[in-house]
Amino acid sequence: MRVLGIETSCDETSSSVVEGGRNILSDVIASQVDLHARFGGIVPEIASRKHVELVNVVIQEAVDKAGITLRNIDAIAVTNRPGLLGALLVGVSAAKAISAALGLRMVGVHHLEGHIYANFLANPDLQFPFICLIVSGGHTDLVLVRDHARYEILGRTRDDAAGEAFDKSARAMGLGYPGGPIVDKLAKDGNPEAVHFPRARLEGLDFSFSGIKTAVVRYFQEHENELPIEDLAASFQAAVVDMLVNTTMAAVERTGIRRVALGGGVAANSGLKRRMQEECDRLGIELTYPPPRLCTDNAAMIACAGYHRILRGDVSGLDLDTIASQPLTG
Ligand code: KG4
Ligand code: ZN
């Protein structure tokens, strides 16, 4: 089955053709990052307008690159929740139009389910159950994935998302947007022990990143340029990574599940991958994470998640709604 994926929930217009839920025939991503960078964050109205301009071009390119035509597509998977409403509407409207015109099955996919399924594209042999740490610009969730579409949220952030902490702290350090990749790059040449930033420890398996963001802002105001920016970036990143790895390992201990997966933009972080791999190796736990391009927003992960839904007969009608905010359930 060839599934056309469409993803427009935030600032990436993306479309992809995935065969059999694992074989990526094409994956086109048009990023709006440069457009939003000068505002230091995503401007929803600009994002929607850009999606309108790009969506048909990107879908056509995905189909062309796959070496097929729209008539060779078997089904459509589209992100319909959660995300910026105006942005989601563009992708969902395109999906409905193609579905209605060609009589194709269509399914709405939860964006976080897509981030989880990026792991099946990286490792098609991944077995259930596993614990998935989803760390993106809008979410930080520890999810127990029991089976296809069977999720249990073990913990989540009580304030900022991990990606938000990267972006806001980078802004405080006078770095560009989005901050995650910039901090990651600088941290490679810095001393992670130069400054000891606080690591929030909450009861249970929840996260909190607002404290570290405030600590970075305060430190930078008081000690601007005292330390190389690389040391500051490395120290900040080490603190965030510590919190993510420690809580994930606490979830492993609590559930007894010895398989861990990562997803979302922050899963592209080299410090996080290294520390998580070290801990998993030490404890004999299997770790899977997608390549960086499949960590950040992309339509291949949506096509993969949609494929498994459609296989189980889960199909949406033309009344498919868009939803701005909805936790992952199932
Ligand atoms: O998953 P994603 O592309 O979009 C959302 O669903 O939010 O995640 C974007 C987030 C941004 O906050 C960005 O700074 C962060 O992922 N990010 C990174 C890295 N690459 C992207 N954070 C840390 N290290 C990276 N290498
Ligand atoms: Zn995302």
Side-chain angles (χ1 to χ4, degrees):
M1 190 199 316
R2 284 196 197 111
V3 177
L4 176 74
I6 302 174
E7 155 66 46
T8 63
S9 68
C10 196
D11 62 340
E12 259 100 31
T13 319
S14 178
S15 183
S16 167
V17 180
V18 176
E19 197 166 41
R22 54 166 71 183
N23 188 12
I24 303 175
L25 302 185
S26 65
D27 181 21
V28 180
I29 304 173
S31 173
Q32 305 178 8
V33 133
D34 296 342
L35 207 59
H36 298 278
R38 69 189 132 125
F39 301 104
I42 296 158
V43 183
E45 180 59 24
I46 294 178
S48 317
R49 283 165 191 254
K50 205 63 194 170
H51 284 310
V52 171
E53 270 175 42
L54 290 173
V55 73
N56 288 336
V57 182
V58 166
I59 291 172
Q60 190 58 54
E61 200 180 324
V63 170
D64 290 347
K65 281 198 168 152
I68 57 169
T69 70
L70 273 177
R71 299 209 173 269
N72 306 116
I73 295 287
D74 300 302
I76 306 171
V78 61
T79 310
N80 73 317
R81 65 195 194 281
L84 302 170
L85 266 189
L88 287 167
L89 270 172
V90 178
V92 168
S93 304
K96 285 181 182 175
I98 299 169
S99 162
L102 300 178
L104 296 178
R105 287 168 294 175
M106 171 185 68
V107 66
V109 172
H110 193 292
H111 183 76
L112 297 188
E113 183 169 81
H115 278 307
I116 292 172
Y117 274 75
N119 285 283
F120 288 102
L121 292 170
N123 174 11
D125 299 324
L126 179 61
Q127 302 289 312
F128 297 106
F130 60 92
I131 289 169
C132 190
L133 172 69
I134 308 176
V135 270
S136 73
H139 297 86
T140 302
D141 287 341
L142 255 180
V143 186
L144 168 48
V145 185
R146 290 196 185 279
D147 200 342
H148 288 298
R150 283 195 56 212
Y151 310 112
E152 195 179 308
I153 305 292
L154 302 173
R156 57 163 54 107
T157 182
R158 295 204 186 157
D159 38 57
D160 291 344
E164 217 176 336
F166 269 97
D167 295 339
K168 288 179 177 172
S169 300
R171 190 174 345 165
M173 291 186 255
L175 306 172
Y177 173 86
I182 303 170
V183 170
D184 190 358
K185 197 156 172 265
L186 288 170
K188 288 187 176 130
D189 300 317
N191 172 10
E193 285 163 15
V195 187
H196 186 83
F197 287 118
R199 276 87 163 142
R201 273 167 185 257
L202 305 184
E203 271 193 33
L205 298 170
D206 281 350
F207 302 91
S208 167
F209 296 105
S210 63
I212 181 153
K213 177 197 66 192
T214 311
V216 170
V217 171
R218 193 169 304 141
Y219 186 90
F220 198 72
Q221 279 166 353
E222 288 168 9
H223 306 269
E224 196 179 346
N225 297 333
E226 259 176 43
L227 269 184
I229 194 74
E230 289 82 0
D231 285 356
L232 208 51
S235 301
F236 160 77
Q237 183 171 291
V240 174
V241 167
D242 254 3
M243 290 188 266
L244 293 173
V245 172
N246 292 345
T247 309
T248 305
M249 290 306 139
V252 166
E253 200 180 316
R254 190 171 292 195
T255 59
I257 291 169
R258 306 190 63 75
R259 251 176 245 117
V260 170
L262 309 177
V266 182
N269 185 269
S270 45
L272 173 62
K273 288 187 284 190
R274 191 177 340 106
R275 270 284 321 278
M276 196 69 90
Q277 189 71 64
E278 282 167 9
E279 276 307 288
C280 287
D281 287 350
R282 195 172 66 77
L283 299 167
I285 290 159
E286 180 189 323
L287 175 65
T288 296
Y289 51 80
R293 189 180 162 87
L294 294 175
C295 285
T296 44
D297 290 350
N298 67 88
M301 67 185 195
I302 302 301
C304 178
Y307 166 82
H308 288 282
R309 286 206 166 263
I310 290 163
L311 272 190
R312 295 190 310 276
D314 182 357
V315 176
S316 311
L318 287 176
D319 58 352
L320 176 68
D321 222 344
T322 49
I323 304 166
S325 165
Q326 188 191 76
L328 187 64
T329 50

